[in-house]
Amino acid sequence: MSILRLEGVHREVGTFVILDSIDAAIALGDRVGLVGPNGAGKTTLMRIAAGIDEPDAGKVSRKRELSIGMLSQEAHLDERFMAAPDVRTAVRHGAAHLEAMAVELEAMEHAHRATEPAYEELQHRFESLGGYTLDQRVDEALSGLGFSLADVGRPPTSLSGGEQTRATLARLVIASPDLLLLDEPTNHLDLGALEWLEDHLRRRAGSLLVASHDRAFLDASVTRVWELRDRKLTAFRGDYSAYHRQRQERDALAVKSADTHAEQIARERELVQRYRSHRKFSKMHEHEARLERLQSEQQEAPRETRKLKLPGTGLMGGGPIRSGEIVVRAEGLAVGYLPDKLVARAPFLSARRGDRIGIVGPNGAGKTTLLRTIAGDLPPLDGAISFGHGVQLGYLAQLRAAGIPGATVLDALLETVPITPGEARGYLARFLFRGDDAFKEVRLLSGGERSRLELALLGVMPSNVYLLDEPTNHLDVVAREAIETFLLETPATMLVVSHDRRFLDTVCERLWVVDGGAVAPFDGGYRAWRAAVSDGWTVASALEQEARRLMPAAPRAAGRGRATASSVGTTAAPSSERAAASNGHAGRRGAGAAAAAPVVSPIAAGSPVAAGSARLATPRAKGPKLSKDAYRRQREAMDAELTRLNLRKNHLELELSRPAVQANFIELRRVSSELADVNVALASAEDAWLSLEERAP
């Protein structure tokens, strides 16, 4: 039995038709996904279904006393929500009917009516609706959607827009309406919250209509799909993956049928002309009748959806050059905000040429902070970041600057590169800014349009390393698939922050996981990481295991007073060192990004060198052969140590050549002493490097 039915629903804005003769129905327990490109009318259809807007024509029928809850992207417009004293109370108000029943039960108890049948009936109804577990469910929803104990006590007015949306979603979960309407619910949710919401939606008994571009979320949450396309609605059975297969098959069949129909029309026209020329009028009239019938049944192939066409080369400067083997490395890195707001530490991170690395973790863990630090937007609080030879960065920020009033899309591009308006419009067309779209004001663009503009500006200059922060935000499925295809085909290295699990699973081969104030690499894709987490993998355990692996037993036993692996390179590298690294003068052994094993350097850039005599005790005894993986990891770490020591040596030698240092006896003695210690450490590291080579597989 249908609880909601749309019959001939028609909606126009001005002269533009958004919805044309929409017929659809939702039954009790249905879980329906609403898909379609940006601007297809998904939000309009949901507002009509919820009764917020009325159709221009057609009819909307709802079951009597049907309760409907819709996720509003403008939670701050809900006066009752914003007036609550704290987030927990605002969410609890979602079950207002249970709160009213609890008040009534309490009043009956105070009136000594607890023995009456009316009290017993009300209590039974209160229990069956989950009244006695309401507080538990409120806490579970808030925790599952990423709110900490401190957050739930804050007033709703102090929340950000994303936090308000998550709190509104929690309130809808508690309200548990007969029909739940969710418009892009995955915005502002991290991976843990997404998985919690999917599990809740699978278990709830009510009906669901959800509009989303998150393919993994739709696969996990819906059993039917409605597609809005060319102002029409088509229903499909199954989850998103099933819909995608059915849509491709239907499109292929429609194209083939249209081609066959066009061939038949062309054939009949040819026969009409032939019989007319031969003056066989009876045959001519027969084929004219066939031609007229075929033309009345004209079939059109489905219009191809406009797709992003990402350029393989930059608009200016041609294609990117080939970078060095090690593209980015970080050691002892601390990221955060000045003066002393530490967000996360990364003992060792390294990206090789061609790597596609996803940066994942909970909201607020420091993913964007890490990426901004690598991009140079934020200075490192501690440690060092260096880049390989020939690195050309392309950075797509998550938070985009507000558009200048009056500036158009075309103006934004022309201000970036000196090209003609014609060339600029041709380039913008690849990003779906065609015709008058190029003259839209930047400040008035939708989220999807702004994302496409940022992608266009990113492609202006050639890049061989892409730093992408939520590149699929606000983009529809077609645009997301275009980005996936481009990133799979490009030889560029990629570091990407994303919550789009299908995107991560399709594109990224490795992960950097940010959680609990630390960053650890994970050698595998998204699915492998989630499986490992289920088996107990954590960032802390991964870093502890890596530290034990890089620290052999003998040096640990004899290393009193010696720095540990996590302390290597704990001071931000001077700009001269970073410049040397980016120019390819990092040292003869290549590049890496971790403390070397078995040599552990206590030297920090810009700080005095601890006693280096202990390094001379590193043995040259030939040990057993290493596995390929162990050798690769230790070789990377060793190369990183040699690179850092060579950089420090070069820096100290430059210091010695400065007249100000030579004229100051105390400073001259300090620099000379540190240089001597660096030379000792460098000799010991080279000796350890040779020992490692003897154990190569």
Side-chain angles (χ1 to χ4, degrees), residues 544-560 562-565 568 595-601 614-615 617-619 621 623-624 626 630 634 637-638 684 688 691-692 695:
E544 183 180 352
Q545 182 179 1
E546 184 72 2
R548 286 199 305 267
R549 188 188 63 78
L550 291 176
M551 289 288 291
R556 276 207 307 270
R560 277 180 293 180
R562 195 183 299 180
T564 63
V568 177
V599 179
V600 181
S601 173
R615 299 187 165 278
T618 304
L626 297 171
Q634 292 193 26
M638 198 76 70
S684 182
S691 297
L692 179 64
R695 301 176 62 193

Side-chain angles (χ1 to χ4, degrees), residues 365-387:
K367 303 183 297 295
T368 293
T369 306
L370 173 62
L371 199 67
R372 288 183 64 191
T373 304
I374 295 173
D377 266 11
L378 294 173
L381 300 184
D382 210 348
I385 300 174
S386 55
F387 299 94

Side-chain angles (χ1 to χ4, degrees), residues 440-462:
K440 286 184 177 180
E441 287 193 44
V442 174
R443 64 187 179 91
L444 300 178
L445 295 179
S446 67
E449 290 170 329
R450 188 63 189 269
S451 294
R452 286 192 274 115
L453 175 59
E454 296 292 338
L455 285 171
L457 298 178
L458 177 67
V460 166
M461 299 301 293

Side-chain angles (χ1 to χ4, degrees), residues 55-122:
D56 296 322
K59 180 181 178 183
V60 181
S61 304
R62 301 178 185 87
K63 178 186 173 183
R64 182 176 299 177
E65 298 182 356
L66 176 70
S67 60
I68 299 177
M70 181 171 176
L71 176 65
S72 171
Q73 298 297 329
E74 295 83 22
H76 61 280
L77 299 180
D78 188 327
E79 294 181 1
R80 188 180 180 194
F81 174 83
M82 299 303 292
D86 53 64
V87 172
R88 192 177 189 282
T89 303
V91 171
R92 200 177 191 276
H93 283 340
H97 60 296
L98 291 178
E99 291 182 326
M101 291 170 68
V103 171
E104 187 176 354
L105 284 170
E106 186 177 3
M108 293 179 74
E109 289 170 359
H110 288 174
H112 305 291
R113 298 175 56 194
T115 59
E116 296 180 5
Y119 177 88
E120 184 179 352
E121 181 182 347
L122 182 61

Side-chain angles (χ1 to χ4, degrees), residues 622-628 631 635 690-697:
K622 184 175 180 180
K625 294 290 185 181
L626 297 171
S627 67
K628 289 184 178 180
Y631 171 75
R635 173 64 184 270
L690 293 173
S691 297
L692 179 64
E693 288 302 298
E694 292 175 355
R695 301 176 62 193

Side-chain angles (χ1 to χ4, degrees), residues 123-290:
Q123 185 184 43
H124 176 72
R125 187 176 166 210
F126 182 74
E127 183 178 7
S128 64
L129 291 175
Y132 291 113
T133 60
L134 176 59
D135 289 324
Q136 178 184 343
R137 289 186 287 116
V138 168
D139 292 338
E140 179 186 346
L142 286 168
S143 175
L145 292 173
F147 287 95
S148 66
L149 290 175
D151 292 333
V152 300
R154 295 165 54 192
T157 52
S158 70
L159 301 179
S160 66
E163 290 171 331
Q164 289 176 358
T165 300
R166 285 191 284 128
T168 304
L169 180 56
R171 186 173 64 167
L172 282 174
V173 165
I174 295 304
S176 191
D178 297 329
L179 175 59
L180 182 59
L181 306 177
L182 302 178
D183 190 4
E184 293 294 344
T186 61
N187 289 350
H188 313 295
L189 298 185
D190 58 25
L191 296 173
L194 276 172
E195 292 174 350
W196 181 89
L197 180 60
E198 288 170 355
D199 182 63
H200 171 78
L201 293 178
R202 281 193 298 265
R203 289 186 286 108
R204 77 182 299 270
S207 301
L208 170 71
L209 177 61
V210 53
S212 179
H213 295 309
D214 189 324
R215 295 154 291 175
F217 177 77
L218 290 173
D219 272 340
S221 305
V222 306
T223 55
R224 295 173 58 204
V225 171
W226 289 355
E227 180 198 52
L228 269 178
R229 187 177 186 184
D230 298 332
R231 303 179 295 279
K232 300 289 187 181
L233 188 142
T234 308
F236 295 83
R237 292 193 176 276
D239 57 17
Y240 178 84
S241 297
Y243 147 75
H244 188 64
R245 290 192 299 270
Q246 294 173 62
R247 167 48 64 197
Q248 288 183 320
E249 292 169 359
R250 288 194 187 190
D251 284 350
L253 183 61
V255 168
K256 184 177 180 180
S257 178
D259 290 344
T260 302
H261 194 79
E263 291 172 0
Q264 289 175 339
I265 290 176
R267 175 63 176 165
E268 291 301 324
R269 284 176 177 163
E270 180 184 348
L271 290 173
V272 168
Q273 289 297 109
R274 179 181 299 177
Y275 288 124
R276 178 181 287 118
S277 64
H278 288 82
R279 304 181 67 81
K280 295 182 179 180
F281 296 111
S282 62
K283 283 286 188 181
M284 182 189 74
H285 292 318
E286 179 183 337
H287 286 283
E288 281 180 336
R290 290 182 183 176

